[in-house]
Amino acid sequence: MKKMIIVLIGIIFSLQLHAQDMPPKMQLIIKQTMAANGYLTQESHDEFWLEMKKIGTDVEAQQLKNVMEASLLFGQEYQKELWASALQSYENKKIIKTKRLLELEKESIIRFKASLPYPEGSKNYKLAIESYNRNMKTSNENAKLLLEASANHVPLTSAQGQVLNIDKRYIEKVLTTISESFKRLKNLFDKDWNSNKS
């Protein structure tokens, strides 16, 4: 399921652009936290923040945190709202978008640009925007296809050609998985550990 969710609505905007700045241990903790069957312990939370302190200056660490929040947290919240919209579309047999999904669609490019550590107009800035636009084109197409398939109670064929039989139970399962992952990720990015969010 994890693979389908990521392939279907993959909007990990710019993390790839900054992966070289992130220690392998941090990358591993993020993957464990976001996985469909993922987990987050206080120990891994503390390890993550120890690694954050080693990134460089406070400014550099904050820039990386901004990028991660703009890409990963935003992506998880977007997916959560998209699948909530799919559930409403399935139940009502017509395409419905939650109010929050509509807000996130408008906020997307603004949040992404604000997270970039590059000067506007620079080569890296332009490359990041181009990458974002490519990712969003596919994501928007997949979102449209998901909502249409849900509303019409028919199998979904993604923009990548994958076929998925979706029903209310499947949508609810995906929604639960994403919601739990979103809670863990928020806890990870908060310096203060919260045992109720993992």
Side-chain angles (χ1 to χ4, degrees):
M1 181 187 301
K2 176 191 167 199
K3 183 178 178 186
M4 175 51 68
I5 293 169
I6 291 175
V7 170
L8 182 62
I9 318 293
I11 53 171
I12 307 304
F13 300 140
S14 63
L15 193 64
Q16 297 85 356
L17 300 173
H18 303 277
Q20 67 274 16
D21 301 328
M22 192 185 302
K25 190 181 284 187
M26 283 180 72
Q27 294 181 45
L28 178 62
I29 292 169
I30 288 172
K31 286 178 184 175
Q32 289 171 343
T33 302
M34 291 182 67
N37 60 347
Y39 61 91
L40 178 64
T41 64
Q42 184 168 2
E43 182 182 5
S44 58
H45 176 275
D46 293 346
E47 282 180 23
F48 179 86
W49 283 98
L50 280 173
E51 292 296 322
M52 277 293 280
K53 289 178 182 176
K54 299 176 188 175
I55 292 294
T57 66
D58 288 345
V59 171
E60 289 168 332
Q62 186 60 46
Q63 285 177 337
L64 180 59
K65 184 174 182 283
N66 290 347
V67 168
M68 290 188 295
E69 287 180 336
S71 60
L72 299 175
L73 271 182
F74 181 87
Q76 288 293 87
E77 186 179 7
Y78 176 87
Q79 288 191 51
K80 184 167 72 78
E81 289 302 321
L82 178 60
W83 284 90
S85 299
L87 182 58
Q88 289 186 29
S89 298
Y90 190 91
E91 292 173 340
N92 292 281
K93 297 185 179 180
K94 65 178 182 179
I95 294 174
I96 295 175
K97 290 185 178 184
T98 65
K99 180 183 175 187
R100 185 61 183 142
L101 179 61
L102 293 169
E103 290 170 353
L104 290 170
E105 288 175 342
K106 290 178 184 174
E107 292 172 17
S108 176
I109 186 64
I110 297 166
R111 283 192 189 199
F112 178 73
K113 286 180 177 179
S115 77
L116 293 175
Y118 314 122
E120 188 172 349
S122 68
K123 182 180 179 183
N124 285 337
Y125 184 92
K126 288 176 183 175
L127 287 172
I129 296 296
E130 286 172 11
S131 176
Y132 167 89
N133 287 334
R134 279 193 305 274
N135 287 338
M136 284 309 296
K137 184 177 180 184
T138 303
S139 291
N140 289 336
E141 180 62 21
N142 279 325
K144 178 175 174 278
L145 292 169
L146 172 62
L147 296 180
E148 287 174 353
S150 299
N152 295 315
H153 295 198
V154 297
L156 165 68
T157 303
S158 75
Q160 294 87 354
Q162 295 171 311
V163 179
L164 177 66
N165 291 317
I166 56 174
D167 57 21
K168 184 176 179 179
R169 186 174 168 198
Y170 183 84
I171 294 169
E172 288 174 337
K173 188 174 179 182
V174 171
L175 189 52
T176 298
T177 299
I178 294 170
S179 296
E180 290 170 355
S181 175
F182 180 60
K183 271 199 324 188
R184 290 192 302 268
L185 199 61
K186 282 182 77 172
N187 194 10
L188 179 64
F189 290 157
D190 186 338
K191 282 185 183 179
D192 299 318
W193 165 254
N194 185 335
S195 60
N196 296 324
K197 291 186 178 178
S198 293

